[in-house]
Amino acid sequence: MARRVFVTGIGIISAIGHNAAEALDSLRNCRSGIGPITILPTVHREDLPAAEIPHTNRELAEMAGIGNPESLTRTSLLGILAASEAYRHAGLDRQRNLLRTGVVSASTVGGMDRTENFFRIFDQAPGNNHFIFTHDCGDSTERIADTLGVRDFVGTVSTACSSSANAIMYGAR
């Protein structure tokens, strides 16, 4: 017998909106978020356009109410913002949540915002592994769960473009 799955909360932060309502409005009005790279430090800045969220990591941390953004990857900060919106949208309360709650994060990039920096530093000083600990895509899931106070189930799916569909199937199980 098939079991039904319900989406109880939606959250998003993207190049076309800082929340689900803004993103939906952009989609309805055919607004693109693709443009020059202005925030991310990359050697490809002048060569490739991107769908970049136009905020620094410090600004994202302020939006999320986090005081120390240096310890978090951009992926973690974006995940925290989107998951917090979904949590609020679902009507969950961190202090009074008596339901078993889990986080299944779907990612295609993990801590990739730090990859170029890691390779540059590693090339100059082999053995320096400061960035490697937050590169794992599971790190961002743990940070999201910690921010929301979720302890019942925490899982990460990182299967490229199919990550979101796989996370929904995983969560349904």
Side-chain angles (χ1 to χ4, degrees):
M1 177 192 322
R3 293 186 314 196
R4 297 188 309 172
V5 175
F6 297 90
V7 175
T8 58
I10 299 170
I12 187 171
I13 181 165
S14 72
I16 61 169
H18 292 91
N19 55 51
E22 287 180 13
L24 181 58
D25 184 63
S26 290
L27 290 171
R28 285 182 172 152
N29 291 293
C30 299
R31 283 192 294 269
S32 170
I34 297 174
I37 298 171
T38 59
I39 302 292
L40 297 175
T42 175
V43 297
H44 303 291
R45 180 174 256 173
E46 302 297 322
D47 302 326
L48 300 172
E52 180 181 56
I53 296 168
H55 296 287
T56 65
N57 285 7
R58 182 161 301 287
E59 291 168 335
L60 293 171
E62 287 174 15
M63 291 166 64
I66 294 171
N68 183 15
E70 289 79 25
S71 67
L72 299 171
T73 64
R74 189 169 182 87
T75 302
S76 294
L77 292 167
L78 297 172
I80 288 167
L81 286 166
S84 295
E85 179 187 6
Y87 208 76
R88 286 188 307 275
H89 185 249
L92 297 173
D93 182 323
R94 294 178 198 175
Q95 282 73 40
R96 297 184 302 133
N97 186 14
L98 302 176
L99 303 172
R100 281 189 64 218
T101 305
V103 171
V104 178
S105 174
S107 174
T108 61
V109 295
M112 292 299 288
D113 61 306
R114 296 190 174 182
T115 300
E116 281 189 59
N117 290 332
F118 170 72
F119 281 113
R120 192 175 305 118
I121 290 168
F122 188 79
D123 190 42
Q124 295 168 359
N128 184 339
N129 60 5
H130 170 72
F131 289 107
I132 207 72
F133 298 111
T134 57
H135 193 276
D136 172 19
C137 59
D139 181 73
S140 62
T141 307
E142 294 292 334
R143 304 296 182 116
I144 293 165
D146 287 346
T147 299
L148 297 176
V150 172
R151 301 281 179 267
D152 294 315
F153 180 82
V154 179
T156 305
V157 176
S158 186
T159 56
C161 295
S162 64
S163 293
S164 293
N166 284 327
I168 291 168
M169 289 186 292
Y170 191 39
R173 286 189 192 131

